[in-house]
Amino acid sequence: MAESAQAKAVAAHGDGTRRDFLVLTAVALGGIGAAAAAWPLISSMNPAKDTLAAGAPVDIDISHLQPGQQLVVLWRSRPIFIVNRTPDELKTLQDPATAGQLRDAASAILQQPDYAKNWHRSIKPELLVLVGICTHLGCIPSFVPTPGGSLGSNWPGGYFCPCHGSRYDLAGRVFAGVPAPFNLPVPPYNFVSDTVVRIGENPAGSTFDLNSVQQL
């Protein structure tokens, strides 16, 4: 199944440039075991070593990213999740019932820049950008956007870490009562255009540094 998903991703983005080095981790749905299967594929698509070593910003073409889909890219050797959230998913993020299950629903702890300290934790409500590393022990959470299912009737959709059971909603906000102590970090980023997001560079006027977050 992993090979089939990879083939579809290559076919869909075959005309893209290597600069995008996009890896399709999950299209609409992501299985709980997706992280383990996806990491070797992500690693194989690393940008140039000198680019990673310098921590230079990278531009990502998101023109093919449909509502409900996630892309994973590498920046500074870290997986970066980019999600195009649907209107229904955005409504769920604002639901008091969902917020009541979260440890830091208002993003009070410094795990994001000021421009992402809002209910959707992003510059544009529909487009989420996160560092895809669990704040418990550094595992890679799986993208599980569909509510309910094997994660229970109260599951609103989000991220599940198969290593120790930590859960995050589709804004990367951690649930209460799980091992992970903090929300998933938001990296510095901005939009070069409507279809290109630049990871590693803040919007004008911001000096946010990922090293300043509480925990990565």
Side-chain angles (χ1 to χ4, degrees):
M1 183 175 294
E3 292 180 359
S4 176
Q6 183 179 1
K8 292 179 181 178
V10 171
H13 299 281
D15 58 349
T17 64
R18 287 189 62 84
R19 185 178 184 182
D20 294 337
F21 53 87
L22 298 180
V23 179
L24 188 60
T25 295
V27 178
L29 298 176
I32 290 177
W39 182 247
L41 180 59
I42 296 169
S43 297
S44 72
M45 298 294 283
N46 273 338
K49 290 183 179 180
D50 55 349
T51 300
L52 286 176
V58 293
D59 287 350
I60 307 301
D61 181 358
I62 57 171
S63 60
H64 297 290
L65 185 62
Q66 299 300 310
Q69 292 183 346
Q70 170 178 269
L71 292 174
V72 178
V73 302
L74 286 178
W75 174 67
R76 292 186 177 178
S77 298
R78 300 183 179 110
I80 304 295
F81 297 163
I82 305 174
V83 183
N84 188 349
R85 294 176 290 202
T86 67
D88 284 344
E89 290 169 344
L90 293 176
K91 288 180 182 178
T92 299
L93 294 181
Q94 300 176 79
D95 186 344
T98 299
Q101 301 179 62
L102 305 174
R103 179 171 289 169
D104 183 17
S107 298
I109 298 173
L110 181 58
Q111 287 290 101
Q112 64 285 308
D114 286 343
Y115 51 84
K117 190 178 179 181
N118 45 48
W119 62 266
H120 45 85
R121 299 188 76 224
S122 58
I123 296 174
K124 297 182 179 182
E126 70 276 17
L127 288 167
L128 175 68
V129 181
L130 293 172
V131 178
I133 299 176
C134 181
T135 56
H136 178 221
L137 292 177
C139 303
I140 303 175
S142 298
F143 182 51
V144 190
T146 303
S150 62
L151 294 180
S153 59
N154 291 330
W155 174 246
Y159 291 94
F160 176 75
C161 185
C163 300
H164 300 95
S166 293
R167 303 182 180 205
Y168 307 85
D169 73 354
L170 279 173
R173 298 177 297 183
V174 70
F175 282 74
V178 302
F182 303 111
N183 295 342
L184 294 176
V186 176
Y189 76 98
N190 69 86
F191 288 91
V192 178
S193 70
D194 288 341
T195 59
V196 176
V197 59
R198 178 170 293 165
I199 310 297
E201 180 180 278
N202 292 297
S206 174
T207 58
F208 174 75
D209 188 328
L210 192 58
N211 291 326
S212 66
V213 301
Q214 184 72 24
Q215 185 163 310
L216 186 61

